[in-house]
Amino acid sequence: MTFGDLGRNALSNLGRRKVRTMLTSIGVIVGILTIVTMVSLGIGVRLEINKQFKAIGLERVFIRPQEGERNFFTQFAPPQRSKPITDAEVARWRQLPKVKEVVAEVDLPLGVASGLRIGDRTQQISVEGPANALNQVPFQQPPTAIAGQIELPSTAGSMVLTAGALRELNIGRDQAPSLVGQSVEIVLQAPRGEQQAFSFTVVGVSTDESPVVRVPLPDRIAMKSWWFNKPELLKSDGYDSVTILADDVNTASALVGQIRAEGFRVQSLELILSLADQVFTVINVMLSSVGGLALLVASLGIVNTMIMSIYERTREIGTLKAIGASRGDIRLMFMLEAGLIGLMGGVIGILAGYGLGKLLNRVILWYIEREQLPVRGDFFVVTPSLVLYSLLFATLIGIVAGLYPANQAAKLDPLMALRHE
Amino acid sequence: MHTAAPIISARKLARRYAMGKEAVMALNGVDLEIQRGEFVALIGPSGSGKSTLLNLIGGLDRPTSGEIWIEDLELGKATDKRLVHYRRDRIGFIFQSFNLLPTRSAAENVEVPLMLAGVGRRQRRERALQLLAQVGLAKRAGHKPNELSGGEMQRVAVARALANQPALLLADEPTGNLDSKTGKEILNLLRDTIQAQGLTLVLVTHDLNVASCADRIVHMLDGRVAQIEIADERAARVELAEEVLP
Ligand SMILES: Nc1ncnc2c1ncn2[C@@H]1O[C@H](COP(=O)(O)OP(=O)(O)OP(=O)(O)O)[C@@H](O)[C@H]1O
Ligand SMILES: [Mg+2]
């Protein structure tokens, strides 16, 4: 028998029992639908995360000093650093080839009691550095200015307020312009009983919702030295973090290894991204297993249908064998039928999975719209290889399920089969 | 005719069926030679082994002992593959209950052996239509078996048996499910066909009137050949032409 004849034959036999064929392939449809939806979600989300991370810049390397473990009692003490990031290190990194920019930062430690005094009002508030790649959150729009400028000057004594801070202070956003240029103070209250005020001039208010004030590096160094009572803070403790912006991703990757070898804690977005990739692969495999389980059940359904249809067609099989069909012919005939049930389920499952993805994407986009997140695009991406592999898999499931029944049919004794009623 | 090598020769052919502890000797030492172009009827009481012998000749079953030669092929020791090709290319089987494929049209049923042999679609359709015309069913080519009468179904089966141009036709009670008039028509069709094309026909029947059309009548009894009767050819013809079968 030629392959074309086998195919036509299988199709016409499946067409004889349309309802049964459809019902049998529903299992495959559900399985493939699940797999396609889940995997396309995995692919879509991964692509979106990649896009977000790339927007921040994969060329960045984040460096921190190694620190001793902190516990409940030492969490407010100055950190124990065997190798601080000193000005010398920063200067050396600036000289490295293919390095665009090096930003060193000092953070006020957890638990610093800092109050913002505007006029006669004082409000507890956190003091932070300028917004940068380190604290920029993916899936969030970068803040814009409500009033003044939100680009923090590097000279001491300037401050950017946030919308979050205004809320804490009970000041309406409409009054933000009047704050620009105003003098304010940050008052530190040290546990040793002393108190110290630092003066600032407000240069702008940003839409940032976190309740913080942003002040330049020199001020933070001054505040931190006073807090720990360490006048030579930079020499003893060094910087808390350094961000290096390299020319390209490869340089960044190379820097990660190089600076780690120097004894610092180093991370890059690329590292985080590859970790995220691994996590997504695991999640994807787990979710697809659900579809795989459905396919396993579906394959049992196919086995059942094939056994039934072979029983019904025993006389036909006997006739065919009597007039010259070989075992191989009969086996191929039934395996092809089972494979076609799988393939059909696969095609419908992929279409349904694609449709479901589109539908869910609309729901997600509607939700994102409501939450005003700056993300658009497809979270369900059906790639050609996903289609191809799903089809192959569905067909394979059918064929494997057809193996046993087809073999039984091929083994039938023609005389016995002809006597079958 | 009798000088040439026989197309079928059985030697000490036996077929035993194990039925639990007991064994049934369906065939118990059959020696038989059939010449090319002969029409042989197998006749005998029920259970005498007629079908068993026919199935052995048709390669649907294998003997327990003895030999069954079809020209230069010994079926008992032939490989499965040779047996399949033998059934497909060298014999045409006609059954009592027709055994047409129920979902296929008459033409498609005739095409099946050609399809199994890998003949192209247009070529085999042409041959099927030609064969259906030959058996007088040119107008029924598109009919499904359940749209045909018993006689018409058996004609389709005859056309199917002829599809691969076999030298040997085997028929197990081909008129058993038909009324006498239709049965006679089928018998005439078979006889005319083998005469026109020089085919050999081995036909199992219960009906002495049917058997009397044959060149030779082989009487079976308890798995053996009891008697071989050489029919008077002319007498048989007159009989068929004049006597109305009961
Ligand atoms: N598959 C089988 N298993 C067991 N015994 C069998 C089998 N086939 C045939 N027999 C036995 O072999 C003997 C011969 O059977 P066979 O079918 O050849 O008879 P027959 O001459 O064709 O009879 P009928 O005229 O009724 O068709 C019978 O006794 C039958 O019971
Ligand atoms: Mg019989």
Side-chain angles (χ1 to χ4, degrees):
Chain A
M1 270 175 105
T2 64
F3 197 77
D5 286 329
L6 281 167
R8 268 187 295 276
N9 188 51
L11 278 177
S12 98
N13 279 326
L14 288 176
R16 276 155 82 168
R17 298 259 183 274
K18 288 194 184 64
V19 175
R20 187 166 74 188
T21 306
M22 271 313 296
L23 288 178
T24 308
S25 62
I26 280 180
V28 181
I29 294 174
V30 170
I32 293 293
L33 167 98
T34 315
I35 290 181
V36 166
T37 313
M38 292 303 173
V39 173
S40 68
L41 174 65
I43 295 172
V45 169
R46 192 189 292 201
L47 284 176
E48 189 58 38
I49 286 187
N50 264 292
K51 215 163 77 191
Q52 293 288 332
F53 271 50
K54 288 207 174 103
I56 296 174
L58 294 176
E59 311 83 8
R60 272 158 224 259
V61 176
F62 307 111
I63 307 161
R64 279 173 213 274
Q66 297 280 8
E67 283 180 4
E69 288 270 333
R70 293 191 179 207
N71 59 30
F72 180 77
F73 299 103
T74 59
Q75 62 179 325
F76 299 121
Q80 298 302 310
R81 290 170 179 167
S82 50
K83 186 170 184 189
I85 304 175
T86 58
D87 274 322
E89 306 279 6
V90 175
R92 189 165 54 76
W93 290 333
R94 278 212 175 90
Q95 297 307 311
L96 288 174
K98 291 193 180 175
V99 166
K100 249 189 216 136
E101 202 184 331
V102 177
V103 180
E105 285 293 348
V106 166
D107 305 319
L108 283 188
L110 208 67
V112 168
S114 49
L116 173 64
R117 188 185 288 159
I118 297 183
D120 51 359
R121 240 187 301 199
T122 306
Q123 172 66 40
Q124 282 297 319
I125 207 145
S126 302
V127 178
E128 289 190 359
N132 62 23
L134 259 181
N135 49 29
Q136 185 186 331
V137 183
F139 299 107
Q140 248 177 35
Q141 215 109 48
T144 54
I146 296 177
Q149 64 171 77
I150 60 166
E151 202 63 40
L152 195 63
S154 54
T155 50
S158 42
M159 172 187 285
V160 169
L161 285 169
T162 65
L166 290 192
R167 203 177 51 235
E168 295 284 306
L169 288 159
N170 269 325
I171 299 174
R173 280 189 180 208
D174 47 329
Q175 293 182 44
S178 68
L179 289 172
V180 177
Q182 210 170 323
S183 292
V184 297
E185 280 186 335
I186 286 182
V187 184
L188 296 192
Q189 200 93 41
R192 57 184 185 266
E194 290 173 29
Q195 181 174 324
Q196 176 78 35
F198 297 82
S199 308
F200 295 93
T201 309
V202 175
V203 297
V205 183
S206 81
T207 54
D208 196 344
E209 283 296 329
S210 43
V212 296
V213 295
R214 303 194 182 281
V215 301
L217 180 64
D219 293 308
R220 273 173 286 132
I221 295 174
M223 289 161 91
K224 198 175 175 184
S225 335
W226 181 84
W227 178 263
F228 286 128
N229 205 6
K230 279 186 175 178
E232 293 294 328
L233 180 84
L234 267 190
K235 290 222 168 59
S236 57
D237 288 8
Y239 292 97
D240 294 317
S241 69
V242 171
T243 306
I244 297 182
L245 179 61
D247 279 347
D248 51 57
V249 182
N250 285 346
T251 312
S253 301
L255 283 176
V256 170
Q258 184 184 333
I259 298 173
R260 264 189 191 164
E262 291 173 14
F264 298 102
R265 285 162 56 196
V266 189
Q267 278 196 322
S268 73
L269 281 180
E270 215 204 346
L271 281 173
I272 297 169
L273 199 58
S274 71
L275 193 72
D277 259 6
Q278 283 170 29
V279 171
F280 267 108
T281 308
V282 171
I283 292 176
N284 243 335
V285 166
M286 271 163 39
L287 292 177
S288 309
S289 305
V290 177
L293 204 67
L295 280 181
L296 187 74
V297 177
S299 71
L300 295 181
I302 295 178
V303 173
N304 183 50
T305 294
M306 293 312 293
I307 288 177
M308 263 169 66
S309 110
I310 284 164
Y311 182 80
E312 281 169 11
R313 278 148 64 188
T314 302
R315 259 185 97 90
E316 274 175 57
I317 296 166
T319 308
L320 284 171
K321 291 193 94 169
I323 64 178
S326 65
R327 281 178 181 222
D329 289 335
I330 304 284
R331 189 182 297 121
L332 269 179
M333 266 166 66
F334 285 99
M335 265 169 45
L336 213 65
E337 269 179 48
L340 276 178
I341 293 179
L343 179 66
M344 210 178 69
V347 170
I348 299 176
I350 288 169
L351 290 177
Y354 181 78
L356 184 64
K358 282 264 172 271
L359 196 74
L360 290 176
N361 207 47
R362 284 196 163 198
V363 174
I364 291 175
L365 283 181
W366 171 80
Y367 181 78
I368 283 174
E369 194 95 23
R370 216 187 54 179
E371 298 294 313
Q372 303 192 320
L373 293 171
V375 193
R376 290 292 169 274
D378 287 326
F379 291 95
F380 294 84
V381 176
V382 178
T383 58
S385 63
L386 177 57
V387 171
L388 191 72
Y389 282 119
S390 304
L391 283 183
L392 279 180
F393 195 42
T395 312
L396 197 73
I397 288 277
I399 289 174
V400 169
L403 273 179
Y404 169 76
N407 242 327
Q408 294 300 103
K411 277 199 310 207
L412 279 176
D413 174 57
L415 286 179
M416 296 286 217
L418 280 171
R419 238 176 261 142
H420 184 93
E421 265 319 311
Chain B
M1 188 197 301
H2 290 264
T3 49
I7 184 169
I8 303 171
S9 69
R11 294 185 199 139
K12 295 195 179 64
L13 199 60
R15 179 66 168 98
R16 206 173 102 245
Y17 286 110
M19 295 291 291
K21 282 178 206 153
E22 292 169 49
V24 179
M25 290 305 288
L27 283 187
N28 197 0
V30 168
D31 288 293
L32 184 65
E33 290 198 343
I34 293 173
Q35 305 301 318
R36 184 176 285 277
E38 238 189 324
F39 173 7
V40 172
L42 296 180
I43 199 162
S46 187
S48 57
K50 306 180 295 291
S51 296
T52 306
L53 179 57
L54 197 76
N55 292 336
L56 286 176
I57 295 172
L60 288 175
D61 197 4
R62 287 176 190 267
T64 314
S65 65
E67 292 174 358
I68 172 84
W69 289 87
I70 308 297
E71 293 171 326
D72 52 351
L73 180 67
E74 205 284 298
L75 298 181
K77 305 218 168 33
T79 60
D80 279 346
K81 195 176 163 190
R82 295 204 68 168
L83 225 49
V84 166
H85 286 169
Y86 165 71
R87 290 202 297 257
R88 191 185 69 192
D89 301 331
R90 291 170 64 180
I91 57 167
F93 233 106
I94 297 155
F95 307 90
Q96 177 174 355
S97 48
F98 323 127
N99 284 332
L100 299 179
L101 302 184
T103 55
R104 305 293 187 112
S105 70
E108 283 168 342
N109 264 285
V110 177
E111 281 182 52
V112 170
L114 296 157
M115 180 178 80
L116 291 173
V119 177
R121 283 217 286 169
R122 191 181 307 157
Q123 208 182 330
R124 71 187 189 223
R125 175 52 55 105
E126 218 168 84
R127 171 123 180 94
L129 293 178
Q130 175 206 326
L131 282 163
L132 283 174
Q134 193 181 320
V135 300
L137 280 184
K139 293 211 176 86
R140 299 280 187 275
H143 286 226
K144 296 271 168 69
N146 60 7
E147 299 158 352
L148 295 171
S149 73
E152 287 170 334
M153 282 198 269
Q154 198 60 302
R155 282 169 191 271
V156 175
V158 171
R160 178 177 70 183
L162 294 169
N164 275 336
Q165 295 176 297
L168 181 57
L169 288 184
L170 303 175
D172 197 342
E173 302 190 35
T175 59
N177 279 9
L178 304 173
D179 62 52
S180 53
K181 179 169 170 285
T182 318
K184 204 169 115 187
E185 283 167 13
I186 293 292
L187 198 64
N188 280 330
L189 171 66
L190 282 173
R191 208 179 50 182
D192 294 347
T193 308
I194 61 163
Q195 267 174 7
Q197 300 177 25
L199 309 180
T200 310
L201 170 63
V202 181
L203 182 146
V204 169
T205 182
H206 275 123
D207 192 329
L208 277 167
N209 288 313
V210 171
S212 63
C213 309
D215 302 324
R216 282 196 296 163
I217 303 172
V218 175
H219 290 265
M220 304 275 303
L221 190 64
D222 293 336
R224 289 173 197 274
V225 176
Q227 186 198 344
I228 299 181
E229 198 182 330
I230 300 174
D232 181 336
E233 207 178 328
R234 270 166 302 161
R237 281 190 179 233
V238 171
E239 211 176 359
L240 246 180
E242 289 175 358
E243 191 189 310
V244 177
L245 297 169

